[in-house]
Structures are given as structure tokens and as C-alpha cells.
Amino acid sequence: MENLSSKDYIPEVFRGGRGDITSHVGFIWQQAKAPVLVPLLKLMVFLCLIMSVMLFVERVYMGIVIVLMKIFRWKPEKIYKWEAIKEDLEMGNSAYPMVLVQIPMYNEKEVYQLSIGAACGLSWPADRVIIQVLDDSTDPSIKALKEQEVRRWASKGINIKYEIRENRNGYKAGALREGMKHSYVKLCDYVAIFDADFQPDPNFLRRTIPFLVHNPEIALVQTRWKFVNSDECLMTRMQEMSLNYHFMVEQEVGSCTYAFFGFNGTAGVWRISALNEAGGWKDRTTVEDMDLSVRASLKGWKFVYVGEVKVKNELPSTFKAYRHQQHRWSCGPANLFRKMAMEIVRCKKVSPWKKFYLIYSFFLVRKIVAHTVTFIFYCVVLPATIVIPEVEVPVWGAVYIPSVITLLNAVGTPRSFHLVIFWILFENVMSLHRTKATFIGLLEAGRVNEWIVTEKLGDVLKTKLGYKAPKKPRFRIGDRLHLLEISVGFYLFFCGCYDVVFGKRNFFIYLFLQSMAFFTAGFGYVGTFVPSSY
């Protein structure tokens, strides 16, 4: 140890006598650091900086496109022909195309009445629409309630069908695929899809169907989501910020510049002939909606996004439900990219520019890089440079680029701009699960096909906790304790303490704040908590 130079100085915490364990740990640390850890960390910093630049360029590019769209007042009605469908005295209601409305469901006890009621309230001739409730519920009592609700609407003259199947093979994709096999579907030209918590306005079909009627090259009309419970808790406010950017920027840019974007699985209308030509619904990944979108696009079909049409829906308000949703939304695209990358490259029906957009921008940057760089760089690599000061991160990579990216993301929700610090910390926490899910999808590992329906509470807390909460609700530690978040929180806290004692970069403020965010999530103090006794 006497031969160590001042450059190899070991902090006092690692010092000790010859028989002291800490001295051996310190010696091993110094021996491994220079030849192994420093080069490895430098490589990680280099890769993370490249990914940060990729994400930065993507965000700035989309921001420029959105500004130009606002300046030139771009609207889908100016690009594609749109005329309201008018009633014809001679043709009668046959002037309106036949529309199938599908509502896939699974044990949604709290919201099924709202979605069925909204679908039955669509302003469209009753004899030109068929509403199809595709119920995969496994709870007999819930199935009975839904069937009763369908019968109630049928008694009012609504053309509504209640369809069940013997198994849940393929989950949502399987239910939609089976729904398309019924004989009456052959009468329909278009299919509108709404998840169980979505409530379209009565004029939904009148605003969207004309795009399909007057533009035979369009396969899909996607509308925007409007969140009815965004103010329920801080977690739902954070979700609103992220999803608003997706709908107000990513979807708009994709529709305007490439006529392609990922179908959101709900609140959209498909041309049935395009859906069938693309191969129909497949359950090979957990993002059957994106899978269908890519396949239809490779067949030459175009999509249009109509952001002015908004459909009410509910955000997951429990941390457990949100984690499951984000796992599916991160794992599925990565797995789909693995399956379809070469198919996109070999496709001859789309331009090289659109192929580049699909592979690089849509999949690589947004679905893989955006998740991995957030967690690996800001929650692993950057804190590690505190303990290994031989590796430095340039200020532009550690501060300037993430600041610009954050501001561009927050623009979509100006009412929550004051919460941007909380949003950053929360997004970094969620990036842990998104990164893990992304690698599971890329490697097709264990949970690659895990499908857990996102739990929606509806008014459950108001109805069950309305007057007086039980004095002793049942509480299980496993309901709220999340070891992954707690482990990362301890790592960040350690790095923060190290920076206070030995460091010179003053990163400890960020490290302590981020560690507290991980601890908060790790101990279950995020979102709405519903005790297991309810």
C-alpha cells in the first residue's frame, strides 16, 4: 500500500491494518479500478452520450415540425378530403356506411356501464351500426352484470351483441380476432375500437368516418385521449404530462410527415379491408395494436391522426397497475422491433425514407434509446462517476441536453409546468421498469408475453371509502414494498453521501432527491393505494 501514489489515494474509509477487511477491500478496489472499471465506465459514458444526442436530435426535430404545423395551421382536413356524411332522402340511412363498434372487456366491474352507455349513445343511424361487447371476464358475477347491461340497451332498440369465448387465448388480440369472425361483421366497412374505460362523445363517428369514406388510401383514423382523473393524485398528473407529449407531438408529427404512427389500441377507427389485408390481429407480442399498425403501413396504407377529437378515459391511479402497464408498453415494442426489423428492411411497398423513420426514429430512438438512456445514464453511470472520479461527464451531456429534452416534453402540459422537477424524478424511477422490460423484449426473456390488464378504479374509492374508512384495513407489506426501487435508492444515496464527503462535483443534491424518489416508490407511497380488504 506504501507504493500508491497520490493519484491512487484511498479514502480513509478503505484504510486499515494488514488484518483489517476494509484494507483488503480498498486494495482490491484500487487494483480493479484502473484496468477494468475506469475503461468500462468511460465506454458506458461514451455510449450514453451518443444515445442522449440521438434523443436530443429527435426531440428538437419533432419540436420544429410542431412549430411549423402551428405556423401554417396544418390540420388533417386540409391534407385529406373531409365532408360530413349527409342524409339522402332517396337512399335513406344507406348513405351511412355500416360500422362495427368493438369493446373488449375483462373483469371491469367499475367502468363497463360507462363505456357501453357511451358506445350506445353514438350519433349514427341505429340500423347502420353494430356494437359488439367482447367479454373475456372470468368472474361469473361480473359477466352476468355485463350481459344484463347489454340486454337493457338491446331492449331500447340498440343493435348490440354480447360475445364470449371459451378461453382467453391471445388476450385482447385474441378477443378482437374472434370478434371479427362473426357473420354479421361481413356487413360492416369500418370498425371502431374502445377499451372498457373509454367514453366517446356522440359525434365521434361523424368526425372520423368521413376521412375513411372520402380517402380510400387511409386505413386508420386515430383520436386523442382525454383523461378524466388526471387530478386524482400526483402520479396521474405525471402520466398526463408524458401522454400529452405523445399525443400532441409524436402522433401529430407521424401523421403529418409520414402518414404513420402507432395505433393506440383504442379510440380509433379501422378500415376492415385494410385490417384484413395486413393479416388481422396477432398475439405474438403484447402490443397487438402497434403490430397491426406496422404491418398495415408496410402494405402501403396511410394513417391520419385527428387530435381535435378527444375520447374520455381513465389513467391507472395505483402504482401496481401503472407498473404493469409500462412493462407491457415497453416490452412489447422492443419485442416487435426484434421480430419485424428485417421485414421492414425488405419491404418494397414503402419508401426508404419511411423505412428509416420506422426503424430509427419510431423504434430505435423512441422505444429503446429513450428508455435505456434515462435509467442507465442518469441512475447508474452518472452516479458511478462520483465514486470513480477519473471518469468525467461533459456538462452538455449531464445538464444541457437533458434540460432541453425535459422542457420540450413539458410544453405539452403547461398547467403542470411547475411540477417538472417531480416529473423528472418520477420518470427516472419508471425508467427502471421500462429499461428492464425493453431488454426482456429484445432478448425474448421470461416475462416477454406477460399480459396483465391495467386495473381501472372508476369510482371505487368514492363508493367504498365515501363516508368512513374501516378502522383497521388489511395491510400486507408485499402490497407496497418494491425491492428494485429500494435497491436503486440505496445505491443513489450511497453515491450522494460519497459526493458530500469526498466529491467535488456537487451532484449530491440531485442524487439525494432521486434516491428519495426511488425510496418513495419503493415503499409504496406513490399513486392511490387501495387496501386489499376493499
Side-chain angles (χ1 to χ4, degrees):
M1 297 289 289
E2 292 80 3
N3 295 327
L4 292 176
S5 64
S6 59
K7 183 178 180 181
D8 297 317
Y9 171 74
I10 302 177
E12 196 66 33
V13 70
F14 289 140
R15 289 178 175 269
R18 290 182 179 273
D20 196 337
I21 295 177
T22 56
S23 66
H24 292 291
V25 173
F27 178 75
I28 294 172
W29 169 258
Q30 290 297 331
Q31 292 298 310
K33 186 168 70 169
V36 179
L37 298 180
V38 171
L40 179 60
L41 189 57
K42 285 183 177 179
L43 176 62
M44 293 296 295
V45 168
F46 176 72
L47 294 176
C48 288
L49 289 175
I50 290 177
M51 290 191 289
S52 295
V53 171
M54 292 168 63
L55 187 60
F56 172 77
V57 172
E58 177 75 4
R59 291 289 191 266
V60 171
Y61 161 72
M62 288 194 291
I64 293 172
V65 173
I66 288 297
V67 170
L68 293 176
M69 288 174 61
K70 298 298 182 182
I71 292 175
F72 294 103
R73 298 182 179 180
W74 180 92
K75 289 185 177 181
E77 291 86 350
K78 292 184 177 181
I79 303 298
Y80 302 101
K81 183 179 179 180
W82 189 96
E83 292 181 4
I85 299 176
K86 300 177 182 178
E87 296 184 6
D88 192 305
L89 294 178
E90 295 182 0
M91 298 178 62
N93 289 339
S94 60
Y96 291 83
M98 282 290 295
V99 179
L100 175 69
V101 177
Q102 290 185 316
I103 312 175
M105 292 189 166
Y106 175 74
N107 289 343
E108 290 91 358
K109 184 179 179 180
E110 308 299 334
V111 295
Y112 74 93
Q113 287 180 310
L114 294 174
S115 58
I116 293 176
C120 293
L122 289 169
S123 176
W124 203 255
D127 61 338
R128 307 300 292 173
V129 63
I130 303 173
I131 298 172
Q132 193 182 62
V133 176
L134 304 170
D135 190 14
D136 273 358
S137 297
T138 54
D139 188 323
S141 62
I142 296 178
K143 292 177 74 171
L145 289 172
K146 293 177 181 177
E147 186 174 9
Q148 182 181 356
E149 183 71 7
V150 169
R151 288 177 178 172
R152 186 173 73 86
W153 283 104
S155 67
K156 297 181 178 182
I158 302 296
N159 190 359
I160 184 170
K161 312 287 185 181
Y162 180 73
E163 307 290 358
I164 60 175
R165 52 189 183 136
E166 296 180 355
N167 55 62
R168 290 191 66 221
N169 292 343
Y171 303 105
K172 180 181 174 181
L176 294 170
R177 183 172 58 238
E178 288 298 314
M180 297 298 293
K181 293 180 180 179
H182 294 280
S183 58
Y184 55 81
V185 174
K186 296 178 181 179
L187 303 172
C188 301
D189 303 300
Y190 312 109
V191 54
I193 302 169
F194 302 103
D195 280 354
D197 61 307
F198 277 70
Q199 307 160 46
D201 288 337
N203 67 347
F204 178 87
L205 295 179
R206 293 183 181 272
R207 295 287 305 276
T208 56
I209 294 294
F211 282 106
L212 297 163
V213 170
H214 299 300
N215 302 276
E217 74 277 16
I218 293 178
L220 165 68
V221 179
Q222 173 71 58
T223 62
R224 185 177 165 185
W225 297 2
K226 180 181 179 180
F227 312 110
V228 298
N229 66 330
S230 57
D231 291 325
E232 184 171 335
C233 60
L234 186 59
M235 190 184 81
T236 53
R237 289 288 291 272
M238 304 297 100
Q239 292 179 66
E240 182 190 35
M241 292 179 70
S242 300
L243 287 171
N244 277 351
Y245 178 82
H246 170 70
F247 283 106
M248 298 177 68
V249 179
E250 292 179 343
Q251 298 293 72
E252 290 279 11
V253 171
S255 178
C256 173
T257 56
Y258 307 98
F260 172 81
F261 49 83
F263 174 45
N264 296 121
T266 178
V269 187
W270 276 92
R271 186 186 302 273
I272 292 179
S273 60
L275 191 154
N276 291 334
E277 184 185 346
W281 295 104
K282 294 185 178 180
D283 55 12
R284 57 181 177 171
T285 70
T286 57
V287 283
E288 73 294 326
D289 43 12
M290 188 181 295
D291 188 350
L292 177 60
S293 303
V294 176
R295 285 185 280 116
S297 180
L298 296 183
K299 293 291 183 180
W301 290 98
K302 294 182 178 180
F303 309 152
V304 61
Y305 174 72
V306 187
E308 291 184 353
V309 179
K310 302 175 184 179
V311 181
K312 297 177 183 177
N313 73 293
E314 181 182 332
L315 292 163
S317 56
T318 66
F319 189 49
K320 179 180 179 181
Y322 188 54
R323 286 177 68 190
H324 287 312
Q325 183 199 67
Q326 292 303 297
H327 173 86
R328 190 172 76 246
W329 285 6
S330 302
C331 179
N335 190 232
L336 183 63
F337 178 60
R338 171 191 171 114
K339 294 179 183 297
M340 293 203 68
M342 292 310 300
E343 185 177 343
I344 295 172
V345 171
R346 291 192 295 263
C347 180
K348 298 180 180 180
K349 287 190 175 182
V350 298
S351 66
W353 183 241
K354 192 168 186 177
K355 291 181 186 179
F356 175 79
Y357 170 76
L358 274 170
I359 292 176
Y360 175 80
S361 181
F362 183 77
F363 276 113
L364 183 61
V365 177
R366 294 189 215 168
K367 309 303 180 185
I368 297 176
V369 167
H371 300 326
T372 55
V373 72
T374 302
F375 177 68
I376 294 177
F377 191 25
Y378 303 113
C379 299
V380 178
V381 172
L382 195 61
T385 62
I386 302 299
V387 184
I388 306 178
E390 292 87 346
V391 181
E392 294 187 3
V393 179
V395 176
W396 59 265
V399 179
Y400 299 150
I401 281 183
S403 297
V404 173
I405 292 174
T406 299
L407 291 175
L408 290 174
N409 276 274
V411 166
T413 314
R415 80 183 189 101
S416 298
F417 193 78
H418 62 289
L419 300 174
V420 68
I421 300 298
F422 295 100
W423 180 77
I424 293 171
L425 299 174
F426 180 68
E427 282 293 292
N428 286 350
V429 171
M430 293 310 303
S431 70
L432 164 64
H433 298 285
R434 292 173 184 145
T435 301
K436 182 180 71 170
T438 297
F439 281 106
I440 288 174
L442 288 173
L443 301 175
E444 282 198 322
R447 294 173 58 198
V448 66
N449 290 318
E450 180 184 72
W451 182 285
I452 298 176
V453 175
T454 304
E455 178 189 18
K456 302 296 175 65
L457 297 180
D459 293 328
V460 64
L461 294 182
K462 297 177 184 177
T463 56
K464 294 186 178 181
L465 305 181
Y467 297 102
K468 290 185 178 181
K471 295 181 179 180
K472 295 182 179 180
R474 188 184 305 166
F475 175 77
R476 291 181 297 182
I477 293 179
D479 290 339
R480 300 187 70 159
L481 200 62
H482 307 293
L483 296 180
L484 272 178
E485 285 89 343
I486 293 173
S487 300
V488 176
F490 275 119
Y491 167 70
L492 292 169
F493 186 76
F494 167 78
C495 292
C497 293
Y498 192 97
D499 192 34
V500 170
V501 179
F502 304 111
K504 299 179 181 179
R505 299 179 183 176
N506 296 324
F507 281 176
F508 62 88
I509 298 176
Y510 159 72
L511 293 172
F512 285 148
L513 286 174
Q514 190 63 72
S515 67
M516 291 301 104
F518 273 97
F519 284 137
T520 302
F523 289 105
Y525 290 97
V526 173
T528 301
F529 179 67
V530 181
S532 56
S533 59
Y534 296 151

